[in-house]
Amino acid sequence: MLSTTYLVVIFSFALLENAFAHKCDSTQYSTICAKITSSISTASQVFYPNSSQYIADNEHAWISSSAASACSVEPGSAADIGAILRILGSTGTPFAVKGGGHALNHGFSSTCGVQISMTRFNDIQIHNTTETVDVGAGLTWDQIYATLIPLGLTVVGGRIPTVGVAGLTLGGGYSFLSNQYGLSVDNMAGFELVLPNGTITHVTSENEDLWFALRGIVTKFSYKTIPQGQVWGGTRNHTADQLDAVKDAIIKFQEKKDTKAALALVIIHTPKGLGLAAVFFYDAPTPGPGIFDDFLAIPTNRGYSNGLPITQYSRSVVDTIANQVLFWGARLRALDKNAVVAATLEPFDSGLFSHGSDSAYPPDRSRALFPTNVVFSYMNASLDGTLLRDFGHYCNAITAAADADGQNVSHAAVYPNYALFSTPLEDLYGANIPRLRAIKRAVDPENVMDLTGGFKF
């Protein structure tokens, strides 16, 4: 859930080679790679350095966990894994098995020998009669949830969507549902396992030793399924000066016995010092009474956001944006040490609006508009009025620079998803306003949708 928790590093083979070639000489295993190639079926494939699939097979979430293997092999059947293990065992060749690639230790799922990537074991089979689901060892949790959640089902699985099924489960597996159901490993119905001698077996609780300590390569996990409805959750960020309040909140949370609730608190060093992020989960549409109240009572950032239409990021426009961020950033930090001023530049192709038909936004498709997102963020509520006025000056200065650049955007449509709450409807939908209001009268004569938030017609 938190991007600060796991860093996904994209790298090339050159980086792999430079970082880890000194660990061992992978060339000595080239004959083993060739032997595997000649021994596996067409369901499987061996890849060599400099190929894109080889890079993907060796890639890990942390580059320090990776190695440049002699080759990578993607087995497509349990039988082929058996053949591969027999070759590796008989020749004493080092190897590694990679599921999702989130092992943090170098050499745990990486090697200078033969890298086995389980990516082709990607089937999901749901068994309603036994209330189980069979999951391939090459899948990640986001893939599992995407299949199960629409059916009102889930399993006791990972909290980070891109983590692999195999590593998490074989290591025990903490979950947002663990307070209710235990670890992932506590909710297994069985495994398909290729033993070190290449034999394929199906392991259940009746196989006491293998159930207790799996040895070999798991190709399939059978999980008990659990009914799943809507859940409540989210993330709140806090600063170092709120540490005492956060400490009190986490102590009180542990005293509240509600197994549907789960919490993760990230404490991280940032360029500005200590940073805190609380991740909440509750297995129901709304949390139980008081369960997160101590956290939610801690002030968090407030602010303003707007989307300024720009047609081109010229040098003069970018200079103005940068200067405005510096100017207002210094002013806000003088008023509130936690303040942030930001602008996100989003260049798109000039034919952006040529791909669709008439829609509420954009009201004019004759030219592309880049939805430049500008933000004031701060914590001191007493500054709301002052900073709302200053935020207007910030926005106006950038728009004026674009107009001076010949872009004529002072009356261009503002992107609704970025727009400040006080933006007039005409600035969002332009000439489409009469039609939108007519549709509203026809479809919602009782004004039911006026009971919710958002821009009102």
Side-chain angles (χ1 to χ4, degrees):
M1 293 182 64
L2 287 177
S3 60
T4 53
T5 309
Y6 290 93
L7 305 179
V8 179
V9 182
I10 307 300
F11 51 87
S12 66
F13 172 69
L15 285 174
L16 280 172
E17 188 173 48
N18 292 338
F20 299 112
H22 65 282
K23 296 292 184 180
C24 64
D25 179 13
S26 62
T27 59
Q28 63 184 301
Y29 305 116
S30 57
T31 56
I32 305 301
C33 296
K35 188 171 184 179
I36 290 173
T37 301
S38 64
S39 302
I40 55 179
S41 73
T42 55
S44 307
Q45 197 168 355
V46 175
F47 299 96
Y48 292 91
N50 297 322
S51 71
S52 59
Q53 204 56 47
Y54 168 90
I55 293 171
D57 290 343
N58 282 277
E59 183 181 64
H60 284 67
W62 289 36
I63 194 170
S64 58
S65 305
S66 305
S69 63
C71 63
S72 68
V73 55
E74 294 181 3
S77 70
D80 280 350
I81 288 182
I84 294 166
L85 281 177
R86 283 189 287 270
I87 293 170
L88 297 173
S90 64
T91 57
T93 303
F95 69 97
V97 183
K98 173 191 161 188
H102 273 82
L104 302 183
N105 294 308
H106 177 68
F108 275 39
S109 61
S110 59
T111 181
C112 289
V114 174
Q115 179 73 58
I116 299 174
S117 172
M118 300 297 288
T119 187
R120 299 192 183 198
F121 288 86
N122 55 16
D123 288 341
I124 301 174
Q125 294 182 321
I126 299 170
H127 306 286
N128 292 323
T129 54
T130 58
E131 297 182 332
T132 59
V133 58
D134 294 341
V135 171
L139 291 166
T140 52
W141 288 107
D142 53 346
Q143 295 170 303
I144 308 304
Y145 297 144
T147 299
L148 295 179
I149 295 299
L151 303 175
L153 299 172
T154 193
V155 293
V156 180
R159 295 168 289 180
I160 307 296
T162 55
V163 166
V165 166
L168 181 125
T169 303
L170 294 175
Y174 286 87
S175 168
F176 283 126
L177 299 173
S178 287
N179 286 336
Q180 296 180 79
Y181 302 103
L183 303 177
S184 294
V185 74
D186 297 327
N187 291 273
M188 303 305 302
F191 306 85
E192 181 179 77
L193 178 69
V194 182
L195 295 169
N197 64 8
T199 301
I200 303 168
T201 186
H202 296 274
V203 180
T204 68
S205 57
E206 295 179 359
N207 310 96
E208 292 186 9
D209 286 345
L210 285 177
W211 186 256
F212 182 78
L214 291 167
R215 191 72 174 175
I217 297 178
V218 177
T219 59
K220 184 190 301 180
F221 297 82
S222 295
Y223 297 89
K224 300 172 185 176
T225 56
I226 299 166
Q228 183 66 69
Q230 290 186 326
V231 302
W232 180 94
T235 302
R236 288 183 66 134
N237 298 312
H238 301 288
T239 50
D241 59 332
Q242 297 172 315
L243 178 59
D244 285 342
V246 171
K247 285 190 292 187
D248 290 341
I250 196 168
I251 290 169
K252 291 178 181 178
F253 175 81
Q254 294 169 88
E255 297 169 353
K256 299 171 183 176
K257 303 300 181 183
D258 187 339
T259 58
K260 291 187 176 183
L263 172 73
L265 177 64
V266 179
I267 304 176
I268 187 170
H269 183 270
T270 74
K272 295 181 180 179
L274 195 69
L276 306 160
V279 182
F280 309 105
F281 174 89
Y282 197 85
D283 191 15
T286 56
I291 189 66
F292 296 120
D293 283 1
D294 296 296
F295 277 100
L296 299 179
I298 302 171
T300 188
N301 281 20
R302 56 201 300 117
Y304 302 110
S305 174
N306 204 359
L308 306 180
I310 301 292
T311 62
Q312 184 181 16
Y313 294 118
S314 64
R315 185 175 296 275
S316 62
V317 169
V318 175
D319 280 345
T320 297
I321 294 173
N323 289 334
Q324 288 293 310
V325 169
L326 287 171
F327 175 80
W328 291 109
R331 171 170 163 75
L332 264 66
R333 289 300 295 275
L335 299 172
D336 184 331
K337 66 180 180 180
N338 296 307
V340 173
V341 174
T344 303
L345 283 60
E346 304 180 26
F348 288 90
D349 183 76
S350 60
L352 170 67
F353 291 156
S354 66
H355 300 287
S357 57
D358 289 347
S359 55
Y361 176 89
D364 177 9
R365 290 181 173 268
S366 64
R367 60 173 181 164
L369 298 172
F370 305 159
T372 308
N373 186 213
V374 293
V375 172
F376 272 13
S377 175
Y378 55 96
M379 295 187 68
N380 188 344
S382 68
L383 297 174
D384 284 351
T386 298
L387 296 189
L388 178 59
R389 183 184 65 249
D390 289 349
F391 187 67
H393 296 323
Y394 174 42
C395 296
N396 291 340
I398 295 172
T399 299
D403 279 345
D405 196 49
Q407 298 187 25
N408 190 26
V409 292
S410 57
H411 297 291
V414 176
Y415 179 43
N417 286 355
Y418 289 172
L420 187 65
F421 65 90
S422 58
T423 304
L425 286 179
E426 290 73 18
D427 289 355
L428 304 173
Y429 304 111
N432 287 335
I433 293 292
R435 183 181 177 188
L436 291 168
R437 283 180 169 147
I439 294 170
K440 175 189 182 295
R441 287 192 297 270
V443 176
D444 187 19
E446 300 298 326
N447 298 320
V448 173
M449 296 310 297
D450 283 354
L451 300 174
T452 187
F455 295 104
K456 300 290 194 297
F457 287 93

